[in-house]
Amino acid sequence: MKLLTFVHQNQERIGALDDKGRIVDLHRAYESYLREVESNPAAYQMAAVVLGRDIMEFLKRSEKSLDAARKALAYVSQKTNDSNGGTIFKRSEVRLMAPVPRPGALVSAGKNFSDHVAEMSSKKGPAAPVAFLKLPGTVIGPEDDIPHPPEVKNLDYEVELAVIIGKPCLDVTEEEALEYVAGYAAFNDISARDVIRSENKTGIHLMGKSFPGFAPMGPYLVTADETPEPQNLKLRLSVNGETRQDSHLGYMIFKIRDMIAYWSQMGLNPGDVLTTGTPRGVAAGRKPDQTPWWLKPGDVVEAEVEKIGMLRNRVVAE
Amino acid sequence: MKLYLGLLESSLPNETRIFGEVDEKLLDLKLAYAAYLAHAPGNHASAYEFAAFYFPQTIAEFLERGEPALKALDEVVSFARKIGIAELRGPAEEKVAYHIKEVRLLPPFQNPEKSFVIGFSDNARVEAMPKAEIPTGFYKLPQTFVPGGAPIVWPKFSEELDADACLALVIGKAGRRIPPEQAWDYIGGATILLDITARDVNRREGLTTNNLLGKNFPSSTSIGPAVLLKPTRKELENVDVKLSLDGSVKQEFALRDCVFTIEQIIARWSILGIQPGDFLAIGASMALQGDRLQNPAPLKIGSDVCCFSPAIGELSHQVVSSKGVRR
């Protein structure tokens, strides 16, 4: 299933993509199912409780909400017309937000592809997974604009896979790690390299990864059952149609299951997001001159993960 | 004025309330304000609704309500004093005043967007290392927060835990790119933060310029117990935060010990935008022992660690083993 968060008439809603590429409002759909199939007299309230108010509550409900979503989707997508109105939308009728618009923790791996480690001139890959926290408030939708802050000179991109956690996990093993995943989305880890450099003098980087809008994510949360081999996917990023990054998640130093196991030591919860780190091809790694590749207002960045989806964001001057 | 966030014994987890400390009692501010409205001439028909607007379920939302909510707070406090705290009941005779032990206190902020500790901010460090030029920071995840009294659970991955007393500057007003001369207007209050660090992991992570697992694990951040609301500059400068370990004081920190001014910190971090209920904590006082910076408050299983300040209250914790802790 492809789960998503969308905005219709200024309201944030949980949805799923049906097999015709239409967007189904899950609350409305499940309400119809409960009323029309199960004759539930409190269908509206029941749908709200079973699905939760937003995707974070939905993910906390785990299998219960997923089962309901599947039933709802199957029930309404066989209908040819939207008899109730407001349940099924064309893609163009709504605005997509990130599937998880405000994650709990957003843990982004650094130095996790050997070709990227080399281009950033680090001597060798790390001995244990390296990651930093991006602020959850940096997340934007798959087609939203990326603001170019006036404070930033060296704005860069990093295509990654986002791994959305579906169950509480603490100290899980590599073998069981993927059982804790709700699903996957494409991710672009926007980075202000000059700000990061200035922060690194005292050993900590935070601001350079966390300006508002520095985390495009989406377009859907593709559920784990549809993605049996998340490690076996291609990644690609282009700027104004020119390919900059073209790689494969198989080249990760610490694999997805290693990352989940390692970071589960800090305790992960449904709606937390881990991102995989990025392969070579970022602007900061361009030799000899980085200048032509820094993002500038007007640039269109497309970040794509095979079978998961594509983000298309325009950079705009703030 | 000190504000607390808490639950009553029969409350559901999502029924948090704001309490204000008046004459050593905690007033349920929403009900007290409803009583004030109902008591006023004209007998307010929608007292509960108005009270719920000014005193919503979290302190962050209260701060978002701005000046009108602060005015409502003044009104309710003078009303409560006039009636007498012991006599005060809600419009339908509900209980309003509680002993602090009757309230299950929570971290005053549950899910701030920005919960940062400003790194390398204490003067003590400057002796041993070059002064930091900008107030950099690290992030303490809200999921690591515990209230005072909660056990601090020793994480399996570390051999070396220590504690740091911090003073958290609470943001009271939303803003972005705030010039230094306006910074003070954005301070909504202050609270205490106890920053637990897995120092061995932190040292290792520092080599790759990140700061994550060593600072973020369940119960690695204690905040509260109260928010000292809208202190004057002088009051804030006089807030001394101390940390004691098994009864003896190991750290002392006040605003004057910070290498950065409030203006520098707000100007820097408001570049990203700040919201009511966000906080920027300063502190983390390492001490020079010989030629090496050492945290003076190393912990062990069974340690009693307490962070306190007369103006704000105390956070007391015992360090426990992860064995036998229900997760």
Side-chain angles (χ1 to χ4, degrees), chain A residues 135-193:
Chain A
L135 291 178
T138 59
V139 172
I140 58 172
E143 292 176 4
D144 290 344
D145 292 339
I146 298 166
H148 190 309
E151 292 87 358
V152 177
K153 291 186 190 70
N154 303 155
L155 193 68
D156 210 342
Y157 49 79
E158 298 188 350
V159 62
E160 308 192 4
L161 178 74
V163 179
I164 296 121
I165 299 296
K167 293 179 203 163
C169 55
L170 186 76
D171 296 333
V172 302
T173 63
E174 286 82 359
E175 290 70 35
E176 62 187 349
L178 294 185
E179 294 164 23
Y180 293 84
V181 175
Y184 304 90
F187 188 80
N188 190 352
D189 174 19
I190 302 292
S191 307
R193 302 288 180 201

Side-chain angles (χ1 to χ4, degrees), chain B residues 148-217:
Chain B
I152 288 167
V153 182
W154 194 289
K156 285 181 187 160
F157 57 78
S158 176
E159 303 287 317
E160 195 184 344
L161 286 198
D162 58 40
D164 281 306
C166 301
L167 173 65
L169 305 170
V170 174
I171 302 303
K173 190 162 93 163
R176 200 162 173 209
R177 301 193 173 99
I178 296 155
E181 61 276 15
Q182 290 171 23
W184 177 254
D185 296 344
Y186 291 81
I187 300 293
T191 189
I192 299 175
L193 184 143
L194 176 63
D195 170 29
I196 306 291
T197 305
R199 194 61 66 180
D200 45 353
V201 177
N202 178 253
R203 227 178 271 127
R204 201 167 69 222
E205 290 187 320
L207 300 175
T208 51
T209 64
N210 78 103
N211 205 336
L212 213 180
L213 186 60
K215 290 285 189 183
N216 287 286
F217 46 89

Side-chain angles (χ1 to χ4, degrees), chain B residues 189-313:
Chain B
T191 189
I192 299 175
L193 184 143
L194 176 63
D195 170 29
I196 306 291
T197 305
R199 194 61 66 180
D200 45 353
V201 177
N202 178 253
R203 227 178 271 127
R204 201 167 69 222
E205 290 187 320
L207 300 175
T208 51
T209 64
N210 78 103
N211 205 336
L212 213 180
L213 186 60
K215 290 285 189 183
N216 287 286
F217 46 89
S219 73
S220 61
T221 312
S222 161
I223 55 170
V227 176
L228 179 64
L229 188 69
K230 285 274 173 190
T232 63
R233 186 115 195 177
K234 198 163 173 60
E235 281 168 337
L236 187 62
E237 281 167 359
N238 284 330
V239 173
D240 275 303
V241 183
K242 290 183 186 167
L243 182 135
S244 73
L245 183 61
D246 299 322
S248 73
V249 173
K250 299 288 185 186
Q251 294 180 344
E252 269 192 77
F253 186 83
L255 203 52
R256 63 180 166 276
D257 300 317
C258 185
V259 296
F260 302 108
T261 62
I262 289 177
E263 283 69 21
Q264 284 174 305
I265 294 168
I266 298 286
R268 167 82 182 168
W269 287 103
S270 70
I271 289 174
L272 299 182
I274 48 175
Q275 305 290 331
D278 286 350
F279 58 79
L280 301 161
I282 46 180
S285 32
M286 302 285 259
L288 205 56
Q289 291 182 358
D291 59 350
R292 144 158 218 237
L293 276 173
Q294 202 76 31
N295 185 296
L299 303 177
K300 51 187 195 306
I301 304 281
S303 292
D304 287 311
V305 59
C306 179
C307 209
F308 60 101
S309 173
I312 296 173

Side-chain angles (χ1 to χ4, degrees), chain A residues 102 104-108 111 126 128-138 149-151 170-171 195 198-207 210-212 262-263 265-269 272 318, chain B residues 111-116 119-120 130-134 136-144 155-157 176-177 201 204-213 216-218 268-269 271-273 327:
Chain A
R102 193 183 161 184
L106 178 50
V107 180
S108 272
K111 304 185 166 99
V130 170
F132 50 88
L133 291 165
K134 279 175 93 90
L135 291 178
T138 59
E151 292 87 358
L170 186 76
D171 296 333
V195 177
S198 69
E199 289 185 291
N200 279 355
K201 283 181 197 160
T202 43
I204 306 161
H205 70 248
L206 175 60
M207 184 181 281
S210 282
F211 281 79
Y262 186 82
W263 295 112
Q265 294 182 97
M266 68 176 208
L268 296 171
N269 298 300
D272 286 352
E318 197 187 305
Chain B
N111 197 17
E113 221 262 303
K114 296 183 177 70
S115 40
F116 297 163
F120 307 104
K131 183 172 168 171
E133 289 157 27
I134 47 170
T136 57
F138 57 89
Y139 181 25
K140 296 288 278 189
L141 284 170
Q143 61 209 57
T144 67
K156 285 181 187 160
F157 57 78
R176 200 162 173 209
R177 301 193 173 99
V201 177
R204 201 167 69 222
E205 290 187 320
L207 300 175
T208 51
T209 64
N210 78 103
N211 205 336
L212 213 180
L213 186 60
N216 287 286
F217 46 89
R268 167 82 182 168
W269 287 103
I271 289 174
L272 299 182
R327 288 183 145 145

Side-chain angles (χ1 to χ4, degrees), chain B residues 69-84:
Chain B
L70 293 172
K71 187 168 159 276
L73 179 62
D74 283 343
E75 288 166 352
V76 71
V77 171
S78 24
F79 171 72
R81 288 220 165 94
K82 199 174 91 198
I83 299 282

